[in-house]
Amino acid sequence: MTDIYINSAACISVQDTLNENFFENLQPFDSSQVLKAVEPVYKEFIPPAMIRRMSKTVKMSSVASQYALKEAGIENPDAIIVGTGMGCSQDSEKFLKNVLDNNEEFLTPTYFIQSTHNTVAGQIALGLQCHAYNFTYVNSSSSLEFSFLDAKLQINDGEAEHVLVGSTDEQTERTMELYELSKTIKKEEHLPVDYLNSATNGVIWGEGASFFVLGKDKTDSSYAGLKDIRISNKVDFEETQTFIEEFLIKNNLNAQDIDAVILGFSGDAKSDDYYTKAMELFTNSALLYYKHLSGEFNTASGFSTFMACHILKKQAIPEVMMINAFKKEEIKTVLLYNHLRGNDHSLVLLERA
């Protein structure tokens, strides 16, 4: 297998991650049920006439993808691959509201056309006039990981040299109301959240868009080597450590070789046990968490990948992410472990470029 490098990383999140100084100014959130992304001034990146027709996730993704391509020095990628859990929820809700308000008659197709999950990848391609491979993965919390796998295959098979890979999800008012009713989101009386020792179910919900340019060659802008990915829809709690150990063995590693582990603690007592179980393996690693900085959402792993890239490049770990006080002098390998409420488990192994 050819080495694959992450040559750029851009993120719009509930942190000000487009700011060059974001790494030193990360702020945890524990007292809101829903977190909103810090959005850029879109008219600086997108023609005003187009902005009005774009949902939030399309706008966030358009800007994040522009940042990623510019950093990598790529004008037109050989493929565009996007992962999303909920797609363009805003336009989906608008379409369904039109259906109800108009008794299923005299409907304009615009909202329906713009509500499809592949709208994001399509809009990016239209903006770039890119006629290359264009694909969207909708696999809940492992959508980005499937996109990475596809990109690796494209590059390894010689089908592409530079692939734009992204993940994106937005919030909508009605969906958040439904999440409250289904107890997906924390009740107000259970706030603030202790992410590492929560005794209540539910999460604080976030949103964001993260984009990366993957290539077969290491460049001056390279952040990390994307070594391997493992995805499983279901993992028995008792098999958590085996799930991780088998992945490490496949890559000729053991737990002692991992310099930092980024875990997806979300404050959901019912499913965070997986991360607690995983921590027991890594007695010689820096243990980190991130969803107190990003919120939980289907593609929150995009934020953790973005942070891992900067940790590897800067050779520094933000104090606000640390679970333990362990630090190695050099950070060569980072393991990311994520799932959403106990389903769709993923492992991503990154190495210093």
Side-chain angles (χ1 to χ4, degrees), residues 47-290:
M50 293 180 65
I51 292 174
R52 291 186 289 107
R53 298 195 298 269
M54 288 182 170
S55 68
K56 189 175 185 177
T57 193
V58 174
K59 289 187 287 188
M60 290 192 298
S61 300
S62 178
V63 174
S65 63
Q66 287 182 45
Y67 267 87
L69 289 168
K70 184 178 179 181
E71 184 180 24
I74 302 297
E75 289 187 9
N76 223 321
D78 301 314
I80 298 172
I81 307 172
V82 174
T84 180
M86 297 295 289
C88 300
S89 305
Q90 287 182 1
D91 286 323
S92 296
E93 285 191 8
K94 287 175 184 176
F95 174 72
L96 292 172
K97 188 175 186 299
N98 271 352
V99 171
L100 295 171
D101 291 347
N102 294 286
N103 295 315
E104 303 180 21
E105 297 178 332
F106 314 116
L107 298 172
T108 58
T110 308
Y111 289 137
F112 175 73
I113 293 167
Q114 293 176 341
S115 72
T116 56
H117 287 69
N118 60 356
T119 300
V120 175
Q123 286 287 347
I124 293 170
L126 282 170
L128 295 171
Q129 291 296 295
C130 176
H131 303 284
Y133 179 87
N134 191 290
F135 207 86
T136 299
Y137 284 88
V138 186
N139 297 85
S140 187
S141 64
S142 53
S143 299
L144 174 61
E145 289 75 9
F146 274 104
S147 301
F148 276 146
L149 277 175
D150 191 351
K152 279 176 69 71
L153 288 170
Q154 293 286 327
I155 294 170
N156 284 328
D157 290 346
E159 297 291 329
E161 287 189 22
H162 307 286
V163 181
L164 177 66
V165 179
S167 64
T168 183
D169 275 298
E170 66 186 1
Q171 296 165 359
T172 53
E173 189 175 335
R174 181 58 180 155
T175 302
M176 293 305 104
E177 289 173 1
L178 294 172
Y179 279 1
E180 273 195 76
L181 290 172
S182 67
K183 300 177 182 177
T184 298
I185 293 176
K186 288 275 189 197
K187 294 180 179 179
E188 283 196 29
E189 57 264 34
H190 294 156
L191 300 175
V193 180
D194 181 349
Y195 282 83
L196 299 178
N197 302 289
S198 176
T200 59
N201 295 337
V203 301
I204 289 176
W205 204 259
E207 62 181 355
S210 302
F211 276 76
F212 312 88
V213 172
L214 272 58
K216 66 175 184 178
D217 298 319
K218 181 180 174 181
T219 68
D220 292 338
S221 67
S222 293
Y223 284 85
L226 178 61
K227 300 304 292 183
D228 202 5
I229 299 160
R230 185 179 185 185
I231 301 165
S232 180
N233 177 245
K234 294 285 185 184
V235 174
D236 290 335
F237 176 71
E238 295 76 16
E239 298 295 318
T240 305
Q241 293 185 358
T242 304
F243 173 66
I244 297 169
E245 286 174 327
E246 287 176 352
F247 177 69
L248 295 177
I249 290 168
K250 180 191 168 192
N251 288 281
N252 300 312
L253 297 169
N254 59 51
Q256 305 302 310
D257 297 320
I258 304 300
D259 300 316
V261 183
I262 303 181
L263 302 160
F265 278 100
S266 64
D268 179 44
K270 188 176 181 181
S271 61
D272 277 352
D273 285 349
Y274 282 99
Y275 301 123
T276 305
K277 190 74 172 174
M279 283 199 305
E280 295 172 5
L281 278 176
F282 300 98
T283 56
N284 195 39
S285 306
L287 301 174
L288 316 176
Y289 69 128
Y290 67 94

